[in-house]
């Protein structure tokens, strides 16, 4: 019987592989022309399938029968740091009931794989892709957590850093020791000839804090490509051993119960001299092969891409319906435009961006959010800004100074990140509540200002949650957690202002969530309202979503339609009362339009 069962399960894998084998062979050989390496890749996939636990194989079958599971209206996410929320993985497992209270279906834990300390870029410098960092627990703790989350209906997302390793990774150590095999895992050069050719064309990621794209390694006596920080060495995916090793690690995480892999910095992973080393065709070949490997070994697992690029670059990362790549992407551009609209009281840029994303093919899906572990980078669409009479540089300066609290009338308390005086570029940091004015109102004991700040906070969350895709909260937003200014007293954290919104979760404040009249209760109930809003037929995976002209630049209108149901969301981004009129809305609204209070979000329903 055991042999028969094994044969049946093997046939499942073999059938999946048979569907993809010709394409996988062609892609791999086109990129590497190395048949032996292709055999190694397939062997790694087969080994991962053989090692996959039985309960996860059952989940695979369930998800294959319901491929749109991550697009349903009840999807509701949260992102957090394990140590800041609970301390370690075991303690986090004890806090799962708190997550269940919020009806979460998706939990994104910030990087928790083995990393150097303290220089690890928030965990994005990984020194072992196969093991949990000892400060947070063990692989067994991770597997136990994912099992508990699965039982609660929560899918775990982990970051998978594809572009680089820590300089303390065993490959990098071998390279530094002079091993040419492992030097070929990276981009290592004896002199500046080739690095200078790259630097002449390749933009700098962090020109202020980590200028240039190469670092000199004294021990190795070579220049090594480090596009992010000197302690993060870019991987050389021209070497098939790199791809096979990284793919094997991704499958290992899947077998520990990780259901979503957020592939970090994926546009950067392929380099060609003479190009900007962004969004090259080979990147898509690699992501497509990763998707094929998941569909063969663990089809319950989905890919979420971190692609901080213009909308015109995004569709390619989804692939096509016939050859899909990422299942979903972080909606970075909408996040930025939401904050821009709030500060400027002008939704024109936001509306245009929503229209561009809604025009993407149906297979494009997004994770919408307001704040996460990272900064707000003011990458707005400069062409559109110019078309509507906005000076891009002046607008960017206005925004980061506004959220720094340095513009007259600003309610915000944030900080700058990576200010570059040469280009006047900067990014912004802070929690949602502090950026919306909650912190300033509390400090100044201004109760009316606090009420308005809460309205702003909820407006932003409601607008974000109404858009195509599903919402993800930043842990603490559900209780209005404020900035953690104490990071300035920690020598290991003081130089990175992103630590302003990376503070320990305040469990004492969370205890107030059920006490009427408290800030925590207002926001907690507001987030419950988001889930109730999305429990509607108009949030079906195939719902049609578009904007609607309000004839008022301060008010955004988004319409959702599914079958006979139509739901319109009206969002006033202004601190003043606004009137709106929707063309063709006879019978839906009064003939003189509708009046929205400051920062009001209103839902209007009608049936065909």
């Amino acid at each position: 019987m055991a042999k028969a069962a094994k044969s049946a399960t093997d046939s499942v894998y073999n059938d999946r592989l048979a569907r993809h084998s010709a394409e996988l062979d062609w892609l791999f050989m086109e990129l590497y022309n190395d048949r032996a390496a292709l055999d190694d890749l397939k062997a790694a996939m087969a080994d991962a399938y053989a090692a996959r636990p039985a309960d996860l194989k059952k989940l695979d079958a369930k998800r294959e029968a319901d491929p749109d599971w991550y697009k349903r209206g009840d999807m509701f996410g949260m992102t957090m740091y394990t140590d800041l929320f609970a301390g370690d993985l075991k303690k986090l497992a004890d806090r799962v009931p708190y997550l269940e209270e919020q009806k979460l279906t998706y939990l994104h834990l910030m990087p928790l794989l083995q990393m150097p300390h303290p220089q690890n870029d928030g965990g994005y410098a990984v020194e072992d892709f196969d093991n949990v960092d000892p400060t947070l627990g063990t692989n067994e703790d991770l597997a136990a957590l994912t099992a508990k989350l699965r039982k609660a209906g929560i899918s775990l997302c982990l970051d998978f850093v594809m572009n680089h390793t820590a300089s303390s990774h065993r490959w990098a150590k071998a390279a530094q020791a002079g091993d040419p095999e492992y030097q070929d895992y990276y981009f290592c050069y004896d002199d500046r000839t080739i690095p200078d050719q790259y630097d002449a064309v390749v933009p700098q990621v962090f020109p202020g804090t980590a200028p240039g794209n190469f670092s000199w390694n004294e021990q190795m006596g070579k220049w090594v490509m480090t596009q992010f920080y000197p302690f993060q060495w870019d991987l050389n995916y021209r070497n098939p051993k790199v791809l096979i090793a990284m793919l094997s690690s991704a499958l290992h995480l899947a077998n520990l119960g990780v259901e979503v892999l957020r592939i970090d910095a994926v546009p950067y992973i392929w380099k060609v001299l003479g190009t900007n080393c962004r969004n090259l065709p080979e990147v898509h070949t690699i992501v497509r092969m990763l998707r094929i490997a998941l569909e063969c070994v663990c089809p319950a697992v989905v890919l979420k891409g971190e692609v901080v690029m213009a909308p015109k670059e995004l569709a390619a990362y989804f692939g096509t319906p016939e050859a899909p790549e990422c299942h979903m992407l972080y909606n970075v551009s909408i996040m930025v435009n939401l904050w821009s609209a709030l500060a400027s009281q002008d939704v024109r840029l936001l509306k245009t961006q929503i229209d561009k994303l809604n025009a993407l093919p149906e297979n494009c899906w997004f994770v919408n959010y307001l704040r996460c572990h990272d900064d707000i980078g003011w990458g707005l669409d400069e062409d559109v800004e110019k078309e509507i009479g906005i000076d891009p540089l002046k607008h960017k300066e206005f925004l980061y100074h506004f959220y720094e609290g340095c513009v007259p009338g600003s309610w915000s308390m944030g900080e700058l990140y990576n200010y570059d005086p040469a280009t006047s570029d900067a990014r912004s940091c802070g929690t949602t509540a502090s950026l919306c004015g909650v912190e300033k109102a509390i400090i100044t004991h201004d109760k009316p200002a606090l009420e308005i700040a809460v309205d702003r906070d909820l407006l932003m969350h409601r607008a974000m949650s109404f858009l195509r895709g599903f919402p993800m909260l930043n842990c603490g937003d559900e209780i209005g957690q404020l900035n953690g200014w104490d990071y300035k007293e920690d020598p290991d954290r003081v130089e990175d202002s992103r630590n302003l919104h990376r503070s320990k979760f305040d469990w004492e404040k969370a205890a107030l969530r059920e006490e009427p009249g408290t800030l925590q209760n207002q926001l907690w109930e507001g987030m419950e309202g988001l889930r109730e809003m999305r429990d509607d037929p108009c949030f079906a995976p195939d719902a049609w979503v578009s904007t609607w002209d309000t004839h008022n630049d301060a008010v955004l209108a988004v319409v959702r339609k599914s079958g006979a149901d139509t739901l319109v969301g009206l969002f006033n981004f202004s601190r003043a009362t606004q009137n709106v009129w929707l063309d063709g809305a006879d019978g839906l609204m009064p003939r003189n339009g509708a009046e929205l209070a400051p920062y009001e979000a209103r839902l209007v329903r009608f049936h065909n």
Side-chain angles (χ1 to χ4, degrees), residues 166-201:
S167 57
S168 52
H169 191 284
R170 61 183 179 84
W171 300 341
K173 287 182 176 179
Q176 291 179 76
D179 189 331
E181 178 182 355
Y182 286 101
Q183 288 178 357
D184 192 39
Y185 277 49
Y186 302 98
F187 294 87
C188 304
Y189 302 100
D190 294 326
D191 57 42
R192 286 289 313 184
T193 304
I194 294 179
D196 284 345
Q197 292 176 33
Y198 273 110
D199 278 345
V201 182

Side-chain angles (χ1 to χ4, degrees), residues 28 96 115 238 270 399 473:
F28 194 93
V96 168
M115 65 190 82
R238 291 177 176 278
W270 194 269
L399 290 170
L473 304 182

Side-chain angles (χ1 to χ4, degrees), residues 337 341 346-353 384 388-390 553-554:
N337 276 276
D346 186 338
V347 302
R348 288 178 294 170
L349 289 173
L350 173 61
K351 181 181 184 301
T352 301
Q353 201 76 352
V384 175
I388 61 179
I390 296 174
D553 290 342

Side-chain angles (χ1 to χ4, degrees), residues 33-256:
N33 193 29
D34 188 331
R35 178 63 61 179
L38 175 58
D39 292 341
D40 290 342
L41 172 63
K42 289 186 174 180
M45 291 167 56
D47 289 345
Y49 179 80
R52 190 155 174 80
D55 60 333
L56 294 178
K57 288 181 177 178
K58 288 181 181 178
L59 183 64
D60 292 332
K62 180 181 177 182
R63 294 273 169 82
E64 283 185 300
D66 182 21
D68 285 338
W69 66 273
Y70 61 93
K71 294 184 177 181
R72 305 209 177 280
D74 65 353
M75 283 295 290
F76 199 79
M78 177 173 281
T79 181
M80 64 174 61
Y81 282 93
T82 299
D83 56 337
L84 297 178
F85 180 69
D88 59 31
L89 291 173
K90 284 184 177 178
K91 292 175 183 174
L92 194 152
D94 293 336
R95 295 290 191 176
V96 168
Y98 177 81
L99 309 180
E100 289 183 280
E101 274 188 67
Q102 300 176 73
K103 299 181 177 65
L104 295 186
T105 60
Y106 173 102
L107 177 65
H108 178 190
L109 293 180
M110 287 292 99
L112 49 74
L113 299 179
Q114 188 170 319
M115 65 190 82
H117 295 277
Q119 277 197 323
N120 55 51
D121 188 27
Y124 289 94
V126 181
E127 63 182 17
D128 187 341
F129 288 92
D130 294 320
N131 287 291
V132 170
D133 192 88
T135 64
L136 299 174
T138 65
N139 287 6
E140 290 73 23
D141 295 335
L142 177 59
L145 172 65
T146 60
K148 190 168 185 177
L149 290 171
R150 265 196 315 282
K151 189 174 181 181
I154 302 173
S155 297
L156 181 68
C157 171
L158 284 190
D159 289 87
F160 190 65
V161 183
M162 290 194 69
N163 182 69
H164 45 258
T165 75
S167 57
S168 52
H169 191 284
R170 61 183 179 84
W171 300 341
K173 287 182 176 179
Q176 291 179 76
D179 189 331
E181 178 182 355
Y182 286 101
Q183 288 178 357
D184 192 39
Y185 277 49
Y186 302 98
F187 294 87
C188 304
Y189 302 100
D190 294 326
D191 57 42
R192 286 289 313 184
T193 304
I194 294 179
D196 284 345
Q197 292 176 33
Y198 273 110
D199 278 345
V201 182
V202 178
Q204 298 179 60
V205 177
F206 299 130
T209 54
N213 292 295
F214 290 84
S215 300
W216 174 253
N217 184 265
E218 190 68 38
Q219 182 182 348
M220 187 168 55
K222 292 179 182 289
W223 291 93
V224 61
M225 183 179 283
T226 55
Q227 286 196 89
F228 286 77
Y229 286 104
F231 53 85
Q232 292 167 308
W233 288 20
D234 285 52
L235 285 165
N236 175 19
Y237 278 91
R238 291 177 176 278
N239 182 345
K241 292 180 181 178
V242 169
L243 174 67
I244 295 166
M246 293 296 285
L247 189 146
S248 297
S249 292
L251 297 177
H252 174 67
L253 291 174
N255 282 352
L256 290 174

Side-chain angles (χ1 to χ4, degrees), residues 381-392:
D381 191 324
E382 295 188 3
D383 292 336
V384 175
E385 287 182 291
K386 292 173 183 175
E387 286 175 12
I388 61 179
I390 296 174
D391 183 302

